[in-house]
Amino acid sequence: MAGGVDLVVIGADGGPDRSFGGSAHAPEGARLLAEVLPGMCFDTGAAGCRVTAVAPDADANAMLTAVRDAAQHPGRWLVVCLVGQLTADPRGRRLALVTHGSTPDNAYRRGLAWDWVVSAMVHGDHEEALLLVDAVAGRDAWTALERTGEDTAGELLSYSRVPLWGRIGRFAPGSRYAPGRRGRDAVLPGGEGSFSRALTTVLHQGVPGAPAAVAPLDLQPAVAGLLDGGEPSGSSGAPGARLLVPPHGGRLLMRNRAAVRGALAGLSLSEELLAVLWRESAPTEPPSA
């Protein structure tokens, strides 16, 4: 199977309706992920990462098409990022990402259905897949997520064939609903204290003491330390957020910049320059590819 990473980044702006203000910073969070993630892929680097950044005001069909097209590329990893606000169907069994121009009456029908995204990823032509989620859920969607058992929205957060990594927070328009530990209003996707910002910060800084190549689970403690108001996945989400922790295993590795800085710290200037030149000219594919 061919190498490389397919990265699809969706930061959906729900538009001016007050009910969907939780998506106000979603485009910014998506932009950060699209800029930082490709260069952090250890095996491939930016050159081996195909990036699809979907417009914030795109409709659900355009978003789903982007995921399906990326899933059809033979490759090692398919990584999809969903940033924005979630809504639930009237029965509280399914979730959708709110898309631009939605109203409370049509948000689910217009939105990007979660199960559509997962289905496209499952039936893709990649060895592994990972769904990154930086989202908030309104009152009805949060209530749906708290239900457990078969055929519930909460079941969507534990689908084994598509591992999840991220944060889902609660959102109530115009109120200090479930403030984070620093006393601010509810954290918005892409805003301060969000998963998007925490992950990109950790990737920029690295994790001191960790190997040069780290898995998502290795990064999780550092990411969680920068998040506001998080509780483990499956908890009641008392402070108003639920963390989605990546599972053990998997071969998606990210570069640890702290390890590189530590390795170069003891080199002379000329040696350091040689190391940089070597790194820039090294093949992006592992020897076994």
Side-chain angles (χ1 to χ4, degrees), residues 234-262:
S235 75
S236 64
R242 181 174 297 185
L243 302 187
L244 308 174
V245 180
H248 290 279
R251 290 171 289 176
L252 178 64
L253 297 176
M254 313 300 288
R255 299 179 189 271
N256 180 13
R257 284 186 167 177
V260 175
R261 286 195 298 270

Side-chain angles (χ1 to χ4, degrees), residues 26 38 64 84 98 103 110 131 165 169 188 223 254 282 287:
L64 183 60
V98 176
T103 69
R110 290 177 59 104
L131 180 58
W165 188 18
L188 300 184
V223 172
M254 313 300 288

Side-chain angles (χ1 to χ4, degrees), residues 17-149:
D17 193 290
R18 180 173 172 271
S19 301
F20 305 125
S23 64
H25 301 300
E28 175 64 15
R31 183 188 64 80
L32 289 173
L33 293 171
E35 288 179 354
V36 175
L37 283 174
M40 293 295 105
C41 297
F42 185 80
D43 282 345
T44 64
C49 185
R50 293 179 288 260
V51 182
T52 302
V54 182
D57 59 353
D59 61 22
N61 286 333
M63 294 176 178
L64 183 60
T65 296
V67 176
R68 286 175 171 169
D69 288 348
Q72 291 174 1
H73 294 151
R76 288 197 181 93
W77 302 282
L78 173 63
V79 180
V80 177
C81 307
L82 297 183
V83 187
Q85 184 166 340
L86 298 174
T87 188
D89 73 302
R91 301 176 67 184
R93 294 182 176 181
R94 302 174 69 192
L95 296 174
L97 188 71
V98 176
T99 55
H100 189 76
S102 296
T103 69
D105 294 332
N106 66 17
Y108 180 78
R109 295 194 305 273
R110 290 177 59 104
L112 175 64
W114 182 293
D115 51 314
W116 293 353
V117 174
V118 171
S119 177
M121 297 176 72
V122 166
H123 293 96
D125 203 8
H126 291 75
E127 293 178 358
E128 296 184 26
L130 178 65
L131 180 58
L132 301 184
V133 182
D134 185 6
V136 290
R139 182 186 61 189
D140 293 343
W142 185 265
T143 300
L145 284 172
E146 289 191 312
R147 300 192 186 108
T148 57

